[in-house]
Amino acid sequence: MTSVGFEHRRGMALLVVVVLTMLIALAAYRFSFYMESQYRLTRLNEEQVHARLAALSGIEMGAAMAELSTAEQVASGGLFDNRILQHIPVTSNVSTTSTARSEESIIDWRCSLVSPAVDGLGTSSYAVGDASDLRFGLENESAKIHMPTLLEWDRKQPGHARTSLLNLPGATETLVDSWLRGLGASGAAGNGGGSSLIDRLQTDNSAGTQQSATDQLRLLWYGGDLNQNYRLDALEKRLSDQLLGAIGSANTNTLQNANVAADPLPAWQRLVTWHSGHRNETFTGQPRIYLNEPNLQQLHQQLSTIWPADWANFVIVLRQYGPNEFQYAPSGNSQLSLSASNATTNAATNQQVESPAPDFSKPSSYTLSSVLDLVGAVVEAPPSVTSDQSTAIDGKLSSSSKRKQTLRNPFSSDLSEARNYLGRVLDESTVDANSFVTGRIDLSAAPAVVLASVPGVDIALAQRIVQQRETKNSVATESVQVIASLLESGILDLVKLKAILPYLSIRNDVYTVQAVGYRDQLSPVYRCTVTIDARRIPARTINHQIWHPWDRGFTIDQLDSASQ
């Protein structure tokens, strides 16, 4: 019986061994598959880190260039459109042992600093379709409306912010009022003379209206470009059409009739900013001389190092005695603004003498409100100069010396002479003692809609300024001459320029840029936008926003310099 039972179990051990071997093999396969997946995941994470570090390296390069003086930036090709900011190789001396990749593969990582293209009037434009027109450079934040400064101007002139924002493309009263209400602004309706902002909102503050205004603001802020690749893709165009339709059903005064495919929505983020400003320094990076320095002897020493002696002497005497009363008249001829009745060249009523060496025992009695106060200023000769002049001819008072004596002003109001010094004076001197200035609009780069936000500048004048600027085709090295060209053409006179100059600048040190870190079409991409604030050195980066989770954004052919 025992032998029979044993024969029935013959081969059972082999079957058990086979099953156990199969289970062990499956476990080994599962372990191998898991380890391979982890290896690939580690490789992917490592490449994502490389892409991120490549993008951050590009940002550091942009920040380093932003810290340079304007002269050094121009010498290196500038920050607006510069090919050295395209397809930047990112090198590393660190070898990778875990992935057995060579150092050459690490060097293959690249970075490009991209911004949307800008049309002839200084306005950024988005492409519609599969291709985007890129610019390899940084965005000038001082060429945009600085919202905190605009709200400050609105407190001084109620309704100004509303009027300025209504000039933005696609703006509606409901949208602008809702936005300003959220920012806590109130005031008159502006040129229309209507009711106050709060009164209008109280009569039109339904939840549906407010929600539609919020949706419209989001749409206009990005211009429908949700993934920030500076073109409107098919999905973005469809979403924009749907959102515009929903907004139109809630509010008839909107963009519901806009044809996104034919006319891309404007991106307000290209026209409005929350961060702008510049260092209070010269074109070459030196601190500007503060003309209202209380210590006149120290001021004279500073001026004498960069200006001719007669320039420095006249500034000191002007600070000591102040200008005579005179009137400005709009320039219709070669005189910038000085009325003919008070022109210093009128020899029939006055006699000009050179500015004497300063007597620093007399303290300052006059404070300049603008650098342009120097232009055409009339200063009577100090008593010592009059006395010296009166005894110059045989110790007797000549008939010519009985005339009113004024100091010769080297900062003449004659346009042919002002052209030679005005840009230099504006670049090298200031009446602002701060080390940096915030919120001023860059006259050499801002589009018309941004210039129209300056108090005292309407949209017609802003368009004339932009057209004159583009006609001159001023480059960065000649940006200080933009103001001189506006005076020369008669678009602005000295009175108007003095009124708006406190709101304007001719430089910028705050930028926005999108950095793209990449290697090839199959490797991960890291895309982000940052604001580079170089008003203080070292520069700092803020507003870090990531965009690559949407998609790659750009093809290698668009970013590769070899394909351009």
Side-chain angles (χ1 to χ4, degrees), residues 213-255:
T214 301
D215 293 340
Q216 185 181 358
L217 179 59
R218 290 172 179 168
L219 179 66
L220 289 174
W221 184 260
Y222 292 109
D225 182 25
L226 301 179
N227 63 348
Q228 291 295 282
N229 63 347
Y230 310 138
R231 68 173 183 264
L232 294 183
D233 305 308
L235 176 60
E236 292 171 336
K237 289 187 290 185
R238 185 162 58 251
L239 290 175
S240 298
D241 290 336
Q242 292 177 356
L243 183 56
L244 287 174
I247 295 173
S249 62
N251 183 6
T252 58
N253 189 21
T254 56
L255 295 174

Side-chain angles (χ1 to χ4, degrees), residues 354-377:
E354 293 295 331
S355 299
D359 178 12
F360 296 112
S361 63
K362 179 174 177 56
S364 171
S365 63
Y366 177 71
T367 301
L368 281 74
S369 61
S370 170
V371 173
L372 296 179
D373 287 346
L374 297 173
V375 180

Side-chain angles (χ1 to χ4, degrees), residues 332-363:
N333 48 37
S334 62
Q335 295 293 324
L336 288 181
S337 61
L338 196 61
S339 63
S341 61
N342 296 291
T344 60
T345 56
N346 191 349
T349 60
N350 66 71
Q351 180 181 13
Q352 290 190 356
V353 296
E354 293 295 331
S355 299
D359 178 12
F360 296 112
S361 63
K362 179 174 177 56

Side-chain angles (χ1 to χ4, degrees), residues 51-256:
R52 180 176 67 86
L53 294 178
L56 296 181
S57 297
I59 293 173
E60 287 299 317
M61 179 177 179
M65 294 185 66
E67 293 176 357
L68 300 176
S69 68
T70 306
E72 293 171 327
Q73 291 174 3
V74 171
S76 62
L79 300 181
F80 178 75
D81 193 359
N82 193 337
R83 290 296 176 177
I84 68 174
L85 301 177
Q86 176 186 9
H87 206 56
I88 308 167
V90 180
T91 60
S92 174
N93 295 324
V94 180
S95 61
T96 305
T97 57
S98 59
T99 60
R101 294 185 59 84
S102 66
E103 185 178 339
E104 293 181 355
S105 299
I106 300 175
I107 298 177
D108 286 341
W109 288 97
R110 303 274 179 166
C111 175
S112 291
L113 301 181
V114 299
S115 298
V118 177
D119 60 23
L121 297 179
T123 305
S124 300
S125 58
Y126 286 169
V128 179
D130 296 332
S132 58
D133 192 5
L134 298 182
R135 173 172 56 85
F136 295 92
L138 281 60
E139 283 189 70
N140 184 342
E141 291 299 288
S142 291
K144 304 176 183 179
I145 300 174
H146 185 235
M147 280 301 297
T149 300
L150 181 65
L151 296 177
E152 180 180 343
W153 295 344
D154 186 77
R155 285 190 288 271
K156 299 178 181 178
Q157 184 180 339
H160 176 75
R162 183 176 189 269
T163 302
S164 300
L165 294 178
L166 283 175
N167 288 329
L168 297 177
T172 65
E173 292 186 358
T174 301
L175 171 62
V176 171
D177 291 348
S178 176
W179 192 15
L180 289 175
R181 184 190 185 190
L183 297 174
S186 63
N191 297 332
S195 60
S196 67
L197 174 61
I198 298 299
D199 292 339
R200 292 194 308 276
L201 291 174
Q202 289 176 346
T203 60
D204 187 19
N205 60 354
S206 63
T209 301
Q210 296 300 320
Q211 183 60 44
S212 64
T214 301
D215 293 340
Q216 185 181 358
L217 179 59
R218 290 172 179 168
L219 179 66
L220 289 174
W221 184 260
Y222 292 109
D225 182 25
L226 301 179
N227 63 348
Q228 291 295 282
N229 63 347
Y230 310 138
R231 68 173 183 264
L232 294 183
D233 305 308
L235 176 60
E236 292 171 336
K237 289 187 290 185
R238 185 162 58 251
L239 290 175
S240 298
D241 290 336
Q242 292 177 356
L243 183 56
L244 287 174
I247 295 173
S249 62
N251 183 6
T252 58
N253 189 21
T254 56
L255 295 174
Q256 65 269 27

